[in-house]
Amino acid sequence: GPKSRPKVTITARGAVRGRRATLRVRRVRKVCATRCAHRPVGATTTTRLRLAGLRRVALPRLRAADTGWRVSLTAGGFSVAGVRYRAYRATRTIRPR
């Protein structure tokens, strides 16, 4: 239910393991005016972490009208032995089960 605090799982392979990344999470709420949209609400929870093979991070608790979370993972670009890896950003909306 809305009181649960699920975890998001982040996996990393190869050269990105051990690299720093930033995870940003905001609660999302359905807002209906002329049409309905899911809008971010409340403060952004920011977690700095090192990417690992598998990492689980708890999401903030939802409030009554919230419909889920907007999750964004950002990692900077880097080079290893002359191979360039681009900066990476992934954004997902997660809904509770």
Side-chain angles (χ1 to χ4, degrees), residues 46-64:
T46 303
T47 307
R48 298 199 192 289
L49 48 89
R50 282 194 184 273
L51 296 171
L54 188 133
R55 178 112 186 215
R56 291 173 62 82
V57 181
L59 297 171
R61 289 189 198 287
L62 292 181
R63 304 216 175 127

Side-chain angles (χ1 to χ4, degrees), residues 15-64:
V16 297
R17 284 187 184 190
R19 296 282 158 187
R20 292 184 186 278
T22 303
L23 182 74
R24 290 181 180 85
V25 181
R26 276 182 90 179
R27 295 177 293 112
V28 173
R29 184 170 296 166
K30 188 173 184 177
V31 176
C32 294
T34 51
R35 61 180 192 206
C36 294
H38 293 273
R39 297 260 158 74
V41 292
T44 301
T45 302
T46 303
T47 307
R48 298 199 192 289
L49 48 89
R50 282 194 184 273
L51 296 171
L54 188 133
R55 178 112 186 215
R56 291 173 62 82
V57 181
L59 297 171
R61 289 189 198 287
L62 292 181
R63 304 216 175 127

Side-chain angles (χ1 to χ4, degrees), residues 64-77:
D66 295 343
T67 56
W69 301 266
R70 189 85 171 140
V71 178
S72 161
L73 180 74
T74 310

Side-chain angles (χ1 to χ4, degrees), residues 15-16 19 78-85:
V16 297
R19 296 282 158 187
F78 62 96
S79 296
V80 176
V83 179
R84 294 183 55 80
Y85 293 85

